[in-house]
Amino acid sequence: MSAVSSRLPVFPWDKLEPYKATAAAHPDGIVDLSVGTPVDPVPDLIQRALIAAANSPGYPTVWGTAELRDALTGWVERRLGARDVAHTNVLPVVGSKELVAWLPTQLGLGAGDRVAYPRLAYPTYEVGARLCGAEPVSYEDPAELDPAGLKLLWLNSPSNPTGRVLDKAELTRIVAWAREHDVLLFSDECYLELGWEAEPVSVLHPDVCGGSYEGVVAVHSLSKRSNLAGYRAAFLAGDAAVLGELLQIRKHGGMMTPAPVQAATVAALGDDTHVAEQRARYAARRTALRAALVGHGFRIEHSEASLYLWATRDEPCWQTVAHLAELGILVAPGDFYGPAGGSFVRVALTATDERVEAAVKRLG
C-alpha cells in the first residue's frame, strides 16, 4: 500500500518540541504564543445553546437545520455586506481546517491540476493539494500566475501568518482575473472580525464581486471570533453551484456538523456583544506584546489584522525561536509558512492576560 502521508511535508509543529521543553523549564513557566489556540471561555449564551440541544439522538443533516441556514445567510448579509444570500449560498463545515485540507479532493482535482496559495501561508493549503495529487503553487500576486491547469486559487485576508489585509481594490482585481481565466476562487476570511489597523473586506461584498457569487466562495470560522475552536464550527458562503456540488459529496462522506454545535452556531452568530468583548481582550494583548517586542529589538511587519504579530530581528527564524525559548516564550518560526518567512517569527495573541503580562516583563 502506498502511504499517502509520503506526499506530505513533515508535520511542522513536531519540530518545535525541543524549544517547547526549553521554554517550559523557565522558573515562571512557559508563555505559549505559538499555536494560536483560543484560551478564553466560551461565552455563556453559546454554552447554554449547546446544552439545550444536548438531547440530539438522531443524525444531523450535512446542510444543517433551517435555523442554522437562516443564521448563516443573515450574518453574511449583515456582517459582510453581501446581498440576496439564499440558503443555497451557504454550507456548514466541520471546522475550516477540514475544509481546506479536503477541498481539492472534493472538487475532483488530481494529477495535472494546480492549486495556488500565497507564498506566506497556512500550511494546509499545500497539504490539500498534495493529498489529491495536484501540484501546489505559491504566489506573490495571483494575477501573475500562469492560469493553465490552475483549478483552485486560495486567498487569505487577513493573512495567517502576516496579518496582511487585501484592500477592496486588490480583491476586486483578483476576482476579475480569476473569472477571466475560469479559476475557482476560495477566500479564507477566518480572521475578518479581527482588523486592527485596517478594515478587512469580504470577497462577497458587492463592490468586490459585483453582486454575483459566480466562481467565488468565502470560508468563515467561529474558532477565533467566538472561542469555538473546540466546537469545530465553520461555514462556506458564495457560489450556489459550487456549494451544491460540495453538499452532495459531503452527504456521501457523512461530513455533518453535530446538532448541538449547529445550535451553538446559531446563538453565536446572533450575538455581537461577545465578539466585541473578545476583540477588546485581544486588542489589549496586542498592544502590550507589540510594544514589548519592539522594545526588545524586533521589527513588526504587516500585522494590521488577525491574531498574530509578524516579527523579525533580521536573523534566521530558528535562532529567534531559541532566543525567546530561553526567556520561556514559545513562538512559531516563520518558515512554517513558507521559505519567505525564514527571518520572521509569528507571535500569537492567544494567551491569558497573566501569561501575556509575564511575556512583557521577560522581554523588558
Side-chain angles (χ1 to χ4, degrees), residues 7-290:
R7 303 177 193 164
L8 307 180
V10 175
F11 187 64
W13 296 100
D14 291 345
K15 302 177 187 177
L16 206 55
E17 286 302 314
Y19 302 92
K20 185 175 183 178
T22 298
H26 190 278
D28 185 39
I30 189 173
V31 178
D32 192 342
L33 306 177
S34 62
V35 177
T37 187
V39 297
D40 299 302
V42 173
D44 287 342
L45 85 160
I46 301 175
Q47 293 192 47
R48 290 195 299 270
L50 184 85
I51 293 166
N55 185 20
S56 298
Y59 290 112
T61 65
V62 172
W63 203 16
T65 62
E67 292 78 11
L68 175 59
R69 282 177 264 135
D70 282 342
L72 297 179
T73 57
W75 185 87
V76 168
E77 290 188 344
R78 174 171 54 86
R79 181 62 184 86
L80 305 184
R83 297 174 185 162
D84 302 321
V85 183
H87 281 197
T88 52
N89 297 117
V90 295
L91 179 65
V93 296
V94 191
S96 59
K97 183 170 185 176
E98 166 262 304
L99 183 280
V100 172
W102 292 107
L103 177 65
T105 298
Q106 291 173 21
L107 292 173
L109 305 189
D113 297 324
R114 298 161 71 228
V115 175
Y117 51 87
R119 72 184 183 105
L120 282 168
Y122 184 49
T124 312
Y125 304 129
E126 177 186 354
V127 167
R130 293 190 181 281
L131 279 171
C132 73
E135 178 188 355
V137 181
S138 65
Y139 65 77
E140 180 67 36
D141 179 348
E144 296 176 355
L145 289 166
D146 179 356
L150 183 61
K151 297 297 178 65
L152 175 62
L153 171 63
W154 279 108
L155 298 185
N156 179 210
S157 175
S159 163
N160 173 15
T162 69
R164 181 188 174 199
V165 173
L166 298 176
D167 64 27
K168 193 178 289 186
E170 289 177 288
L171 289 172
T172 303
R173 175 179 63 85
I174 295 166
V175 167
W177 180 89
R179 284 174 169 166
E180 178 186 354
H181 296 286
D182 197 26
V183 176
L184 179 60
L185 187 154
F186 266 66
S187 179
D188 183 346
E189 301 175 352
C190 290
Y191 297 93
L192 185 134
E193 300 268 35
L194 297 167
W196 310 115
E197 297 162 10
E199 185 61 41
V201 180
S202 172
V203 291
L204 303 184
H205 193 284
D207 290 351
V208 173
C209 67
S212 166
Y213 306 127
E214 181 182 357
V216 175
V217 177
V219 183
H220 283 271
S221 167
L222 282 77
S223 292
K224 307 302 193 293
R225 72 183 294 280
S226 299
N227 299 331
L228 296 190
Y231 284 47
R232 311 315 300 135
F235 64 93
L236 307 178
D239 190 322
V242 174
L243 299 192
E245 177 68 11
L246 291 176
L247 174 59
Q248 296 306 314
I249 294 164
R250 294 172 70 83
K251 283 180 179 178
H252 284 289
M255 293 176 166
M256 301 172 283
T257 302
V261 174
Q262 293 189 30
T265 301
V266 172
L269 292 178
D271 177 71
D272 293 333
T273 300
H274 78 277
V275 180
E277 292 172 350
Q278 189 60 44
R279 272 183 55 87
R281 293 186 191 105
Y282 284 137
R285 293 166 187 166
R286 179 180 183 273
T287 297
L289 283 170
R290 185 180 187 119

Side-chain angles (χ1 to χ4, degrees), residues 28 30-33 39-40 281-293 309 328-329 347-364:
D28 185 39
I30 189 173
V31 178
D32 192 342
L33 306 177
V39 297
D40 299 302
R281 293 186 191 105
Y282 284 137
R285 293 166 187 166
R286 179 180 183 273
T287 297
L289 283 170
R290 185 180 187 119
L293 287 166
L309 293 168
I329 301 169
V347 183
L349 310 179
T350 50
T352 64
D353 293 341
E354 183 274 330
R355 287 290 82 188
V356 168
E357 183 180 351
V360 168
K361 288 180 179 177
R362 295 174 196 182
L363 289 167

